[in-house]
Amino acid sequence: MQTVAVVGTGAMGRGIIQWAVGSGSQILAYDQVSGSAEAARDFVGAMLGRRVDKGQLTSEERDAQMSRIHIIDDLTALSSADIVIEAVIEDVQVKRDLFQKFEAIIDPTALLCTNTSSLSVTEIAFGCEHPERVAGLHFFNPVPLMRVVEVIRAERTATFAIDKLLDLVKCTDHHPVLCTDSPGFVINNAGRGLNTEGLRIV
């Protein structure tokens, strides 16, 4: 995917930007809060600077990655995106409203993904004209260091969308885990059980 849009540039959004720009993609960064997207770009620049200092990245590679991060101040600029990854607050209605706005803007072949950690992806897709292209793409914080990415198939997500997302994650240094749309997905569900069982034993 040549152009990845990240909507919501808080802690998770900026981490997703850093992950995506490392894959060679062009990045569109949007946040409704003025200055937030710019702050996220500066944060990514600082993180890449640390990698340069550690010898993990050349200054030329850092500059090339930074040149691919584009701040947008209007959702209509998402029209060129191949995939939109939403990383806003955990509110089903807010996400649902956003996805319906995305559909009016993006190309019919583009994918819509939510980074939700706990909400139903099927519910978020409710009301979309093309729910078959809606899926979950759940990263963990901090995104560059936590290499697992949950690819979540909602009730009406098409196989082609899942295949594209699995391929996208595999092209990076992260590892996709395919999940059904169930409470806690895989990692959080397993983690809750593991911690609870550990407390019971103690």
Side-chain angles (χ1 to χ4, degrees):
M1 297 186 179
Q2 296 181 347
T3 304
V4 176
V6 179
V7 176
T9 58
M12 291 305 300
R14 62 183 56 177
I16 295 170
I17 291 171
Q18 185 176 342
W19 164 80
V21 78
S23 72
S25 300
Q26 297 289 329
I27 309 301
L28 304 176
Y30 173 84
D31 199 294
Q32 66 175 358
V33 178
S34 179
S36 181
E38 289 82 359
R41 180 179 56 191
D42 293 344
F43 177 86
V44 171
M47 293 299 100
L48 295 180
R50 289 187 184 181
R51 295 194 63 195
V52 172
D53 294 340
K54 294 177 180 179
Q56 299 171 342
L57 202 67
T58 67
S59 56
E60 291 78 14
E61 289 171 331
R62 175 201 57 202
D63 293 344
Q65 289 189 28
M66 291 302 297
S67 71
R68 294 196 297 270
I69 301 175
H70 311 284
I71 306 301
I72 60 174
D73 56 11
D74 193 302
L75 287 177
T76 58
L78 297 176
S79 60
S80 63
D82 298 302
I83 175 174
V84 178
I85 304 173
E86 164 273 312
V88 301
I89 61 171
E90 291 287 80
D91 184 297
V92 169
Q93 193 58 53
V94 169
K95 293 175 184 288
R96 189 181 290 169
D97 291 345
L98 262 179
F99 273 51
Q100 291 178 27
K101 289 180 181 177
F102 295 157
E103 278 204 312
I105 297 167
I106 66 172
D107 188 272
T109 63
L111 301 184
L112 293 175
C113 295
T114 176
N115 182 57
T116 185
S117 62
S118 58
L119 301 177
S120 167
V121 179
T122 301
E123 283 192 46
I124 293 170
F126 182 79
C128 286
E129 291 185 16
H130 298 285
E132 69 275 6
R133 61 173 173 173
V134 178
L137 196 62
H138 179 218
F139 295 83
F140 294 83
N141 192 33
V143 176
L145 299 180
M146 302 292 280
R147 300 292 177 87
V148 173
V149 183
E150 293 179 319
V151 178
I152 302 142
R153 185 195 297 272
E155 187 174 308
R156 298 178 66 182
T157 307
T159 298
F160 78 85
I162 294 298
D163 289 344
K164 282 186 176 181
L165 293 174
L166 290 172
D167 287 344
L168 174 64
V169 177
K170 288 176 183 177
C171 286
T172 70
D173 57 1
H174 281 48
H175 307 286
V177 175
L178 183 59
C179 312
T180 56
D181 190 15
S182 56
F185 310 130
V186 170
I187 307 301
N188 282 333
N189 191 27
R192 298 299 183 272
L194 179 66
N195 293 337
T196 303
E197 179 68 3
L199 287 171
R200 188 193 68 80
I201 291 171
V202 170

